[in-house]
Amino acid sequence: MSIKTSILSSIGQKLLLATSGLIMFLLFLIPHMGGNILFLFGKDLFNSYAHHLHKLVPIVIGIEVLMLVSISVHMIMGIRVVLANRKASAKRLSQKSSKERSLAARLMPVSGGMIFIFIVKHLLDFTIAGEKAEIDMHGQTGYDVYGMVLDKFQDPVHVAFYVLFMVAVGLHLSHALQSALQTYGIYVPREGSKIKVVSTVIATLMAATFAIIPIIAFTR
Amino acid sequence: MSKQINLTLKVWRQSKGEAGRFETYEAKNIDTDASFLEMLDVVNDELTVKGVEPIAFEHDCREGICGCCGALVNGKTHGSHDRTTLCQLHMRHFEDGQELVLEPFRADAFPVLKDLIVDRSGLDEIITEGGYVAVKTGNAPEASTTPIKKEFAEAAMDAAECIGCGACVASCPNGSAMLFTSAKVSQYALLPQGHPERAKRVKAMVSKMDELGFGNCSNEYECAVACPKGIDVKNIARLNREFIKHGFKS
């Protein structure tokens, strides 16, 4: 078995899925959430955070490249795995719904696809087409990122879109975190598993934190 | 105390290479002490008298240890009673007048041969790839020459309980054979006798499993619920560890 065959084996592909997912979770999702929380503490703090982040451009670009690679690997492997699984399964004609399979697990391809759509829309909203007013940041030119966020979330439909897609993020993460650990060979028991509970709690908290920003922006 | 019940069976009838269909039969005066396969024997006797071809189903030991029997009863592998094969499932679990839908195990890697019989030789092919240890033949060695810790011996025995019935594959939404393969890899990986071929085994068995068109594990654990021998998903975690350790070395 060559290295290439190992990588493209069922377990190899899942290891790539888990690793690319965990990279995005640890290096992107968590710092992004940390930054977003600052929005709740008002205009000055959030703008100052955005200003300082701007100074770290080389690191930010490095992470962005890593994200692009991770998201590509994650999507390619995800699609390959899902297609192979569709082919391998045969439809039961008398199928009964099972209690074991969680909704999150069932919806992994759907929530994954939704997250991709969301990322495109989110980048269009804030990175590519985001209009920021220039402001003075302690003698330097800065941007009113806070004002841009506030402006974007004045439309309730837009707020609802963001909140709905954060539900997809929560669902995806709740299965993804525990699933990645089992793929790495860390035993996640079927019943009474603390790992499953912790996965769900982290996923829910993260989704809720992300979802609260547009709601708060709308009310301000 | 036993009693007699009547059932309606909707049974999948299919000959190799032909499209299948459900046929409805009555199972009359079935003793509740009978096993599921004995119930099918009674139905088949009546079908034979009527000149209808009997329902084909696989069976051998009828003691729940050979792994031959199995079908979907109302969509559940082996009828899904805790740790019970179809041959050990008794009719007392069913109610008078109940309708039962009988289908063969469904998976792309398990083509239907006839009625409820599927071709599960894919599992045998996975075993052929590495489910053995190469040892010198002769007298059995003295047991105490290879001491094995109790916990390892027990875990290996738990894994070795797998009878290869294929319920894990049929219950998996992805038609994956990971639970089966992981049990077979585990029973050797846990014991010193299995160590010389450890790396070769895990690579060869996973590679064969993929080649035969079994799906990927998406950690949904349907297999462990369906397994009549209670094989645990900790074996899948162990298979993943074995593959991480040995799978990327040439």
Side-chain angles (χ1 to χ4, degrees):
Chain A
M1 201 183 210
S2 69
I3 296 291
K4 195 187 157 201
T5 345
S6 298
I7 290 172
L8 290 179
S9 69
S10 52
I11 300 178
Q13 292 190 91
K14 290 203 55 219
L15 284 167
L16 280 176
L17 250 182
T19 307
S20 54
L22 276 178
I23 288 175
M24 291 190 279
F25 176 73
L26 295 173
L27 291 183
F28 179 72
L29 225 46
I30 290 180
H32 191 4
M33 186 182 74
N36 281 14
I37 289 172
L38 300 177
F39 182 86
L40 304 176
F41 297 100
K43 186 175 179 175
D44 290 342
L45 191 65
F46 192 65
N47 279 343
S48 156
Y49 152 72
H51 187 67
H52 284 97
L53 195 64
H54 206 67
K55 286 185 192 160
L56 300 172
V57 161
I59 299 173
V60 172
I61 288 179
I63 290 182
E64 277 174 353
V65 171
L66 192 59
M67 283 314 111
L68 198 64
V69 173
S70 299
I71 205 167
S72 308
V73 170
H74 201 71
M75 282 180 69
I76 293 167
M77 291 305 147
I79 290 168
R80 279 180 67 106
V81 165
V82 168
L83 289 182
N85 289 348
R86 291 258 160 92
K87 196 182 171 298
S89 63
K91 202 167 169 49
R92 263 169 275 179
L93 298 161
S94 53
Q95 190 168 17
K96 279 272 164 85
S97 65
S98 165
K99 285 178 193 150
E100 196 60 29
R101 233 186 142 192
S102 69
L103 185 72
R106 226 177 272 245
L107 293 177
M108 282 308 263
V110 178
S111 55
M114 280 175 77
I115 291 168
F116 178 70
I117 294 169
F118 174 78
I119 292 172
V120 174
K121 163 108 175 100
H122 191 50
L123 285 174
L124 285 173
D125 280 350
F126 291 100
T127 309
I128 297 161
E131 284 173 19
K132 302 174 278 269
E134 281 190 8
I135 49 164
D136 179 62
M137 299 284 296
H138 316 290
Q140 293 175 321
T141 312
Y143 293 101
D144 185 15
V145 182
Y146 182 88
M148 175 179 73
V149 175
L150 219 53
D151 186 49
K152 287 281 177 190
F153 292 123
Q154 288 314 300
D155 179 4
V157 179
H158 203 212
V159 173
F161 174 88
Y162 266 71
V163 172
L164 174 74
F165 279 77
M166 284 312 110
V167 174
V169 170
L171 274 176
H172 202 77
L173 281 181
S174 73
H175 181 69
L177 294 175
Q178 45 158 310
S179 191
L181 294 181
Q182 172 82 2
T183 302
Y184 284 132
I186 299 160
Y187 172 44
V188 180
R190 187 167 73 78
E191 282 170 318
S193 165
K194 283 188 186 124
I195 298 178
K196 281 190 181 182
V197 176
V198 171
S199 284
T200 313
V201 169
I202 292 177
T204 313
L205 282 179
M206 262 190 127
T209 311
F210 278 119
I212 210 160
I213 308 295
I215 297 171
I216 296 281
F218 180 69
T219 54
R220 273 186 190 167
Chain B
M1 211 177 75
S2 77
K3 57 174 185 173
Q4 297 204 319
I5 56 171
N6 296 315
L7 299 156
T8 307
L9 304 181
K10 272 181 80 181
V11 186
W12 186 258
R13 305 301 307 260
Q14 183 176 5
S15 297
K16 199 176 180 184
E18 286 177 14
R21 73 213 170 272
F22 280 109
E23 295 280 352
T24 307
Y25 305 109
E26 297 299 322
K28 284 180 190 149
N29 305 323
I30 302 298
D31 196 297
T32 49
D33 281 348
S35 75
F36 204 91
L37 299 190
E38 285 165 343
M39 180 275 288
L40 287 177
D41 290 337
V42 172
V43 173
N44 275 345
D45 280 349
E46 283 179 21
L47 291 179
T48 309
V49 170
K50 285 182 194 163
V52 179
E53 198 177 329
I55 303 157
F57 62 91
E58 206 177 345
H59 62 105
D60 189 14
C61 74
R62 298 205 179 198
E63 290 179 334
I65 53 170
C66 75
C68 273
C69 67
L72 297 173
V73 180
N74 289 346
K76 306 264 189 184
T77 50
H78 294 292
S80 201
H81 266 268
D82 201 26
R83 299 201 182 187
T84 308
T85 53
L86 197 60
C87 62
Q88 290 285 292
L89 178 65
H90 285 83
M91 296 314 294
R92 66 182 78 97
H93 297 297
F94 300 95
E95 282 162 26
D96 189 31
Q98 201 175 339
E99 184 186 88
L100 302 179
V101 183
L102 296 186
E103 259 190 282
F105 278 175
R106 301 282 188 192
D108 192 56
F110 285 173
V112 175
L113 292 176
K114 192 170 171 58
D115 301 344
L116 303 178
I117 302 178
V118 295
D119 179 3
R120 291 171 298 138
S121 57
L123 300 183
D124 300 332
E125 285 185 54
I126 295 173
I127 289 289
T128 311
E129 286 299 308
Y132 54 83
V133 286
V135 288
K136 286 181 181 161
T137 53
N139 288 340
E142 162 60 36
S144 51
T145 50
T146 318
I148 296 164
K149 272 190 181 173
K150 187 169 182 283
E151 56 180 297
F152 289 110
E154 282 186 350
M157 278 303 285
D158 286 347
E161 258 199 275
C162 169
I163 53 173
C165 66
C168 48
V169 178
S171 61
C172 176
N174 312 324
S176 169
M178 280 286 276
L179 192 67
F180 168 80
T181 309
S182 71
K184 299 302 172 191
V185 164
S186 287
Q187 74 187 45
Y188 297 111
L190 284 159
L191 299 177
Q193 289 88 340
H195 286 188
E197 291 137 325
R198 201 172 178 177
K200 198 178 120 201
R201 177 180 301 115
V202 67
K203 284 192 279 187
M205 288 176 88
V206 168
S207 172
K208 184 50 101 178
M209 177 180 87
D210 295 344
E211 181 197 316
L212 293 170
F214 290 102
N216 303 274
C217 173
S218 50
N219 309 314
E220 302 185 41
Y221 300 172
E222 290 283 1
C223 54
V225 179
C227 179
K229 294 294 153 186
I231 304 293
D232 193 77
V233 288
K234 74 166 58 148
N235 291 298
I236 297 183
R238 189 180 294 110
L239 170 63
N240 289 337
R241 287 200 297 276
E242 286 287 306
F243 194 84
I244 292 167
K245 234 184 266 172
H246 305 290
F248 298 96
K249 293 176 199 155
S250 50

